[in-house]
Structures are given as structure tokens and as C-alpha cells.
Amino acid sequence: MTAGTAPRTTDLVALPRRWSVTPAVEIGVLAIAIGIAFATYVVVAHTGRPEGLIAPAVVALLLVANLVPGVALMMLLGRRIARRRAARSPVGGEGRLHVRLVALFSIVAAVPMVLVTIAASLLFQYGVQFWYSDRARAVFENATTLTRTSYNQILQRWEEATVTMASDISTELNERPIEDPQFRAFLFQQTYFRSLSEALLFQVAPNGELQTLAFVNPYDLDLARQVSAEAVRKLARGQRSVVTVTGDRIQTVTRLPGSSRVYLYAARVTNPKEMTTQTERAEAALANYRQLLVRARTLQLRFNAALLLLSLLIVGVAVWIALAVADRLVRPVAELVNAARRVEGGDLTARVPETQERDEVGTLSNAFNRMTERIEEQNTALVTANAQLDSRRSLIEAVMSGVSAGVISIAPDRTIRLINNSAQMLLGLSDPPIGMPLSVVAPELAALLDGTAREAIIQLAAAGEARTLAVRIARVPTGPILTFDDITQQLLDQRRAAWSDVARRIAHEIKNPLTPIQLAAERLQRRYGAKVEEGDTTFSRLTETIVRQVGDLRRMVDEFSSFARMPKPVFREESLVDVARQTMFLHEVAHAGIRFEMRHDEPGPVLVCDRRQVGQALTNIVKNAVEAIEATGRGEGTILMTLTQEDGRAVITVADDGIGLPPERDRIVEPYMTTRARGTGLGLAIVKKIVEEHFGTITFTDRPEGGTLVTMTFDVVMLAGVAGREDDQSETEGGSFAALTRNRTA
């Protein structure tokens, strides 16, 4: 071993001598770094205007020129430190490993770092160069000019409206006196049509006092105090109009054409402060930008100086890491060298400190220590082998009896060799079927052994109960081993989760159009409610119904999307006749070709229920009836709803003469079961859930005359005992909407 390693040591010693680094080289690199730093100062100080940017390529070149000698100095410093540490190591030598690691880490860190630094410098400078260009300055200046122009145009718009209004009023005064009631109506129309907030027609007496002639004052202000004497004096000197901005108003005062003492004051309530603030912000931004132009070169140099310092810091950290890694690698090598020398001298008890590291040096140290202990371990291994086998067998039996999964070990002749308690329970067996053929105990499991699959899902009947099992097959030379779990409940939970996810998606899609529907209905009521003929309540009923139904639908969707369940019912005493009448009215307006008829006892059944949910259920039933009639192609038909109450039960029947029930009538209330091309399959499932939560039942039968007969039966006595205390949110929103409408109309 010694003869083989000696030449290599000689080579390692001879190689660095050809590339030795002398102190003169270190001094030369330091001088180059100082010279480049001085040259950089001269270039920066005498290039271009002091407040302008230096060309990005020049700055990047200067950055690299300073970075390369700086990195070289860091590497030389690390080399000197590495040689000093190697001299103190018990291994001896000239620190070749330390030096190589320092060089390797420095190069690995420096090369990509230099490239990244150049790219970062160029990208930053070219990106910033635009903001210091004439185009960027023009953008800021144009934005400020545009803000001022916009503000002046807004003031001019209301000034023109007031002047034009004064001209129209002057023409109107030529036709009728100011005391005429029609003139006051004309003044109100002018104010309203020109989108002004208030108006005052006044004249100035010889003593300077303002005399009010007519006014429009919805805000109950003292309009005479809004007119300043200075504005009147300017108008008297011949100025066309005076525009002022006071608080939240843009006020305009002008003289009526053809009159020397009659003036018109008009104002528009707006937010001029915001416009003024925006103008001030634009001017402040322009001022800041101009200050930034002055500091352009300073920011450019600071950024590149920061890049230079950061790059040198990264190289310094890399050198420090290289020194630490070298120390960590040399330490265990030195310990191995000492232990090897002791073994060479005949001391077989030599050991090196054990380490938990998984690298090559740690593996070598651990292998060295285990080498002298291996014989003893081999002797004791045979003694403990049998005991370990017994322990493992006992452990396997204990594990099999305690796990929840079923485990069956099959002999090569397909008979059961071993079965645990969980397998017996899942297969519905009372006694262990040891020695019985698997095809007799569980034919479904036996069929899996004929194939090559390692996993499968089967269904079988155990103790009269259908179960779904997830089976895994381990094929070993001694015979296959089957492990299986009961996933019946898991599949049920997955179906429920899938139903919940789809329901939440549907609820999300329903939410989107609700707001525009409600806003459209409210706007229709505000815009055309006053134009409907007196006594005609159809328009108001339709719009109020839309708003109320949108509110009900939004609340239902919010709660329905939570774990895909219907909202918790709020039980209150309601009139079924009113609920049914609203439902029939909605569809009667939408389907003029279908005759809707409702029959009920007098005064009509009363039921403790959730009005919104029962209305939703009836709406779905009637909607299905309408679609069944339309499916016949006749375009007309009859829907009859009957409400009765007797023997403590309330019964609602809906009969139609449509196409009738589908062949899958037993599954029509299951989620996502539908026979229509565009159906979601949730309608009747929701209806069934609503009826069940109201302690009722629902049935679907064929109508003798053709069509479908739906019957819903509710237990009045049971529902009376669960009357809730919550307010009906639908009626509350409807009342709030009506009150809001009255206030807006007033």
C-alpha cells in the first residue's frame, strides 16, 4: 500500500509547483484592483452630464472590471487562510485539499454570479432608462394637463347648463308672469332635465338686498346665502357667469337675458374635492418625477455599487463555506490516519469516533470500526436466529388479530390456511373456515385468483348485507395472501361528497345572474312604477315578486352550497292558499297557453312550515308539470292544484295532462336523475328533502285521464309542535323594498 501511494504523493506535490502563487502575484492583483477602481472613478466623473444616465453597457463593463479582481483577491485570501489551517492539521502537508475546495467553491459561486450581476445591471438600467426619457416625461406632463382640463370641462359643463337654463327662463317669462303656477313647474322641469340639484331665481333691490322670486330647493338650504355679493358685482360689471366650488357643490350665478336685475343661481351636488385632490396628486407626481430626474445618475451608481458589494459578499461567503467544509473533511481523515497507524503497529482495538453522517467519510469511519467487531456479531447471529424467528411469528399473529383489514392466507390448493377475526366478520362467518376451499367460503374472492391483477374491488353479500371490498393480492411461492377492507361506507361518502361538490358548483353558477336580475327589477319599479295605470297592481306584484324571489333564491343558494344541503327550515304558521297562489301566478304569467286552476277549502288550510321552502317545492312541481305539457307538443293544457285539510293532515295535489311519468319513475327523486336533455336532476331531490324535513310524504302516480298526479301530505299536528321563532326573511326584505320604493317615490 505504501509503495503504491508514494508516487501519487510526489505527483501532487510537483503539480502545484508549476502553478505556484507567490506573494508578488497577490500584490499584483491588489494593484490591478486599485487601478481599476481609480479608472472607474475618472470615467464616472467625466462621462456625460452630471444629472444624466451613463450608458448601461459602460456601467456594466465597469462593474465587471471591478468585480473580477475583487473576486480574485477573495480567492487569494481564502487560499492563504487554508494553507495556515492545513499546517496545524495532524495529517500535515501543504493544505492541498483546503486550497482546492476554496478554488472550486469560489469558481462555482463567481461564474454564475458574474453573469447574473451583468444581466441584473443591464436589465435594471435599460428598464429605468425609459423612465428618464422624454417619452416618460411627456406622459407625466400630459397626465397633469389632462387632469386640469378634465376639471375645467366639468365646471364648464354646469356653467353652460345654467346659462342655457337662464335663457330658457327668460323666454318663458316673456309668455307668462312669474306668479303663474305653470312657471314654477317650468322652473322645476328645467332644473330636473338639466340634472341640477337646486335653483334660485332672484333679483337685487337698489339697496343691494336679494329678493327671492322662485326656487327649487330639495335640500332645504338657505339659497339666498349661497349667492355671494362678489358674484353679483362681477355679473353687474358684465361678466357672463360666475362659477364657484363650495363644499360638495358646483355653484353658478348668471343674469337672465333681457333683465338687468334678475339673476339665476343653480348648483349641482357632486364631489369636486376629489377632482381637486386628483389634480393636486398629478402635479405632485410630476414634481417628484422631476426631482427623480436630477438623482438619476446617483441612483444608477448606487444600484451598481450595491450589486458589486453583494457579489463580493457572495464570493466571501462561498470562501468561508469552502474553508468550513475543508476543515470538516480533513478532521475525520486525520483520525483515520492515526487509527490506521495504530493498526499497523498491531493495536487491533484502535477505533475512530463514531459519526452519524451518511457521507463517504462517515461511511468509511463506521466501516473501520465495524471491521474488528464483525466476527463477534457473526457468532452471536446464529444463536439469536431461532429466537428472532419465534418472536416474528408471534408478532405477525398478534398484528393479524389486531388489524381492522381482513387477511386470508391461501394454500397452493386454494384452501384457507389462515384467517384473522376481521376477515371472518367481513365475510359473515361465525367459525374459522380453516381447510375449507375459498370458492365455497367466498366465490367472489376465489375468482380473483384466476387472473393476474394485484388489486380489485368486488361486491358480495355477507349475512344478508351487501358490501363492497377493496382486495389486494400478494402472490408468494407459499400461496397467495388476500387482504381486503370494507369500503362500502367510503364509497357512500364519496358519492355524497361528489353530490356536494356538484351542488356547490351549481349554486355558484346560479349566484352570478341574481344581482343583475334584482337590480333590473328595482330599476323597472323605480322607472315605470309611476307610469302604470292607477289600480293596475300586476306590474308592482310582478316586480315585487321578482325581488322577493331573488332574495329567497340567494339565501337558499348560500345555504345550499354549504355541504350540499337545503337551508334549515324556519317554521311559522302560513296560509297554504297564499303560498300556492303566488306559485301559480308566476307560472300563469309566463305560460299563457296553459290553464292554471286552484281549488281549496274555505278559508283554506293553514300549516306550520317554512314558507320559502314550501313555495320552492310547489314551484318545482308546477314547473315539471308545465314542461310535461310542453313536451306533448300541443302548446296548451291544464294544471290543477287542490288544497285540502282533514283528520290532522294537509294534502296538496298537483295534476297535469302532460306526457306522464317516465319508465324510471322509481328513481325520479334521486339526485342527478333526469329524463330531460337540460335537466340537472336536483329539482325533485330537493322537493323530496323539503317534504321530509316538514315530516311529510310525496308520491307520484299516473293520472287516469292521462298525465301525472303528485300528492304531498303533511302532518299538521306534528308541525304545530316545532313552530320556529325566526322572522320570515322573505317578507322582511319585501317590506324593506316596499318602504324603500315609497321613500324614493316621495
Side-chain angles (χ1 to χ4, degrees):
M1 180 181 295
T2 304
T5 57
R8 297 182 182 178
T9 305
T10 304
D11 293 341
L12 292 175
V13 174
L15 182 61
R17 291 179 180 175
R18 294 195 297 267
W19 301 94
S20 61
V21 178
T22 63
V25 175
E26 297 175 347
I27 296 174
V29 173
L30 178 61
I32 292 174
I34 296 174
I36 292 177
F38 178 75
T40 300
Y41 172 78
V42 173
V43 172
V44 171
H46 297 84
T47 301
R49 297 176 302 167
E51 69 277 4
L53 292 175
I54 303 176
V58 175
V59 175
L61 181 61
L62 294 176
L63 180 62
V64 175
N66 286 271
L67 185 60
V68 171
V71 171
L73 285 176
M74 299 292 291
M75 295 174 63
L76 292 175
L77 178 61
R79 174 183 176 276
R80 182 171 290 275
I81 296 174
R83 290 176 64 87
R84 290 183 179 180
R85 290 188 178 184
R88 296 192 298 267
S89 173
V91 179
E94 299 181 359
R96 309 283 170 73
L97 179 60
H98 283 74
V99 173
R100 290 173 182 175
L101 285 175
V102 169
L104 178 63
F105 274 69
S106 301
I107 293 174
V108 170
V111 172
M113 179 269 302
V114 170
L115 297 178
V116 172
T117 301
I118 296 173
S121 176
L122 293 176
L123 287 176
F124 172 79
Q125 293 180 93
Y126 281 117
V128 171
Q129 195 173 30
F130 166 77
W131 296 104
Y132 295 103
S133 63
D134 294 338
R135 290 185 297 171
R137 183 171 59 254
V139 169
F140 278 94
E141 293 176 351
N142 292 339
T144 305
T145 304
L146 181 62
T147 304
R148 296 196 196 101
T149 304
S150 176
Y151 179 74
N152 294 332
Q153 287 179 349
I154 293 175
L155 297 181
Q156 183 180 3
R157 189 264 191 207
W158 298 116
E159 188 263 348
E160 291 291 342
T162 304
V163 172
T164 307
M165 179 177 172
S167 177
D168 293 345
I169 292 175
S170 176
T171 304
E172 184 68 15
L173 287 175
N174 293 333
E175 298 180 1
R176 57 174 58 87
I178 197 171
E179 296 81 5
D180 191 343
Q182 294 184 1
F183 175 77
R184 297 182 182 275
F186 175 78
L187 179 61
F188 175 80
Q189 292 177 354
Q190 288 288 321
T191 304
Y192 176 76
F193 290 155
R194 299 181 188 279
S195 300
L196 296 172
S197 303
E198 56 201 26
L200 172 66
L201 191 65
F202 65 93
Q203 65 180 2
V204 181
N207 59 359
E209 180 181 0
L210 270 67
Q211 298 177 352
T212 300
L213 302 178
F215 63 89
V216 176
N217 188 12
Y219 296 97
D220 295 332
L221 299 176
D222 187 358
L223 299 180
R225 299 185 63 179
Q226 304 295 323
V227 181
S228 64
E230 178 63 24
V232 175
R233 285 194 294 270
K234 290 181 180 180
L235 294 175
R237 290 195 296 266
Q239 187 170 335
R240 174 187 172 186
S241 60
V242 178
V243 180
T244 58
V245 178
T246 305
D248 60 347
R249 283 172 165 77
I250 300 177
Q251 301 170 327
T252 306
V253 182
T254 185
R255 180 190 298 171
L256 258 67
S259 175
S260 60
R261 293 189 304 164
V262 180
Y263 300 88
L264 173 64
Y265 159 83
R268 168 66 182 181
V269 176
T270 181
N271 191 7
K273 291 183 178 180
E274 181 178 354
M275 296 182 294
T276 304
T277 303
Q278 293 178 354
T279 303
E280 294 174 353
R281 289 178 180 175
E283 294 176 350
L286 180 60
N288 293 335
Y289 175 73
R290 289 173 177 170
Q291 293 178 0
L292 188 63
L293 291 178
V294 178
R295 300 169 53 201
R297 175 172 290 194
T298 302
L299 294 176
Q300 183 186 25
L301 296 178
R302 286 181 179 178
F303 175 79
N304 286 276
L307 282 178
L308 176 62
L309 294 178
L310 181 61
S311 301
L312 294 177
L313 178 62
I314 293 175
V315 175
V317 172
V319 171
W320 178 81
I321 293 175
L323 292 173
V325 171
D327 291 341
R328 188 171 183 178
L329 290 176
V330 169
R331 188 182 305 113
V333 171
E335 294 171 350
L336 282 171
V337 169
N338 290 332
R341 289 171 180 171
R342 291 172 58 188
V343 171
E344 183 182 5
D347 186 4
L348 298 179
T349 62
R351 300 286 188 275
V352 295
E354 295 186 358
T355 177
Q356 300 297 326
E357 299 295 336
R358 298 292 183 179
D359 56 7
E360 290 79 357
V361 177
T363 303
L364 178 60
S365 300
N366 295 333
F368 183 86
N369 291 333
R370 289 196 302 269
M371 181 177 61
T372 58
E373 302 173 356
R374 186 60 179 170
I375 297 176
E376 182 180 1
E377 292 178 356
Q378 291 177 350
N379 291 333
T380 57
L382 295 176
V383 176
T384 58
N386 293 331
Q388 290 179 355
L389 290 176
D390 293 338
S391 299
R392 290 177 181 176
R393 183 169 55 252
S394 300
L395 177 62
I396 292 174
E397 292 178 355
V399 170
M400 287 185 60
S401 62
V403 297
S404 60
V407 180
I408 301 178
S409 177
I410 309 299
D413 59 350
R414 300 287 180 91
T415 58
I416 298 176
R417 183 167 52 190
L418 180 65
I419 183 170
N420 66 345
N421 295 332
S422 299
Q424 290 182 222
M425 183 183 64
L426 293 177
L427 297 179
L429 303 176
S430 57
D431 298 324
I434 303 299
M436 296 180 58
L438 180 63
S439 59
V440 176
V441 177
E444 296 84 355
L445 293 175
L448 297 178
L449 300 179
D450 296 331
T452 59
R454 295 182 176 271
E455 295 182 357
I457 296 177
I458 64 171
Q459 292 182 346
L460 53 80
E465 180 181 359
R467 290 182 178 176
T468 302
L469 303 180
V471 185
R472 292 174 294 278
I473 306 173
R475 303 180 186 273
V476 296
T478 58
I481 299 175
L482 303 179
T483 59
F484 48 89
D485 294 292
D486 186 1
I487 61 172
T488 305
Q489 185 62 35
Q490 180 182 354
L491 293 178
L492 181 59
D493 293 340
Q494 290 177 353
R495 287 195 294 269
R496 290 177 179 173
W499 184 84
S500 171
D501 180 68
V502 174
R504 280 193 296 269
R505 293 176 185 272
I506 295 175
H508 174 72
E509 296 300 328
I510 294 176
K511 268 187 177 181
N512 293 334
L514 292 183
T515 299
I517 292 174
Q518 183 174 3
L519 293 177
E522 291 177 350
R523 183 169 181 83
L524 285 173
Q525 195 171 39
R526 291 197 306 268
R527 184 71 177 269
Y528 300 105
K531 299 180 180 181
V532 178
E533 295 181 4
E534 187 174 359
D536 185 5
T537 62
T538 301
F539 181 82
S540 62
R541 287 174 62 192
L542 286 173
T543 54
E544 289 177 1
T545 299
I546 292 174
V547 174
R548 183 171 60 255
Q549 293 295 331
V550 168
D552 291 346
L553 185 57
R554 179 178 286 112
R555 288 190 297 274
M556 183 198 69
V557 167
D558 290 341
E559 295 183 20
F560 182 73
S561 61
S562 176
F563 197 60
R565 60 178 179 84
M566 289 300 297
K568 182 179 180 181
V570 180
F571 293 97
R572 299 187 61 180
E573 189 174 82
E574 304 287 352
S575 172
L576 284 181
V577 176
D578 293 341
V579 178
R581 185 177 290 115
Q582 289 183 4
T583 301
M584 298 289 280
F585 175 75
L586 290 174
H587 291 281
E588 186 177 2
V589 172
H591 306 281
I594 299 176
R595 183 168 63 89
F596 295 85
E597 184 178 353
M598 186 173 64
R599 299 175 186 174
H600 57 84
D601 300 336
E602 291 296 343
V606 176
L607 184 66
V608 174
C609 64
D610 186 317
R611 181 188 185 94
R612 174 167 54 85
Q613 290 192 6
V614 173
Q616 180 188 0
L618 292 178
T619 300
N620 284 339
I621 295 298
V622 175
K623 174 177 172 292
N624 287 346
V626 170
E627 292 176 352
I629 293 175
E630 291 177 346
T632 61
R634 300 194 308 267
E636 58 183 8
T638 303
I639 297 177
L640 173 62
M641 182 180 296
T642 305
L643 309 176
T644 59
Q645 183 173 351
E646 57 183 0
D647 298 333
R649 295 186 178 277
V651 180
I652 305 175
T653 61
V654 179
D656 65 77
D657 55 355
I659 61 174
L661 294 171
E664 304 88 352
R665 60 186 64 194
D666 295 336
R667 299 178 56 237
I668 58 177
V669 294
E670 293 182 3
Y672 306 107
M673 166 56 192
T674 180
T675 58
R676 298 184 177 91
R678 297 184 179 179
T680 63
L682 285 176
L684 292 181
I686 294 175
V687 171
K688 184 175 183 294
K689 186 170 181 65
I690 291 174
V691 174
E692 289 177 350
E693 290 186 353
H694 285 75
F695 308 102
T697 60
I698 182 171
T699 59
F700 299 85
T701 57
D702 292 325
R703 188 164 172 262
E705 298 83 3
T708 305
L709 180 64
V710 183
T711 304
M712 291 179 285
T713 306
F714 301 94
D715 192 331
V716 178
V717 179
M718 183 177 294
L719 288 172
V722 293
R725 299 180 181 179
E726 300 179 2
D727 297 333
D728 189 350
Q729 297 179 358
S730 299
E731 295 180 359
T732 302
E733 291 190 359
S736 300
F737 177 78
L740 179 61
T741 305
R742 289 195 297 271
N743 293 337
R744 292 180 177 177
T745 305

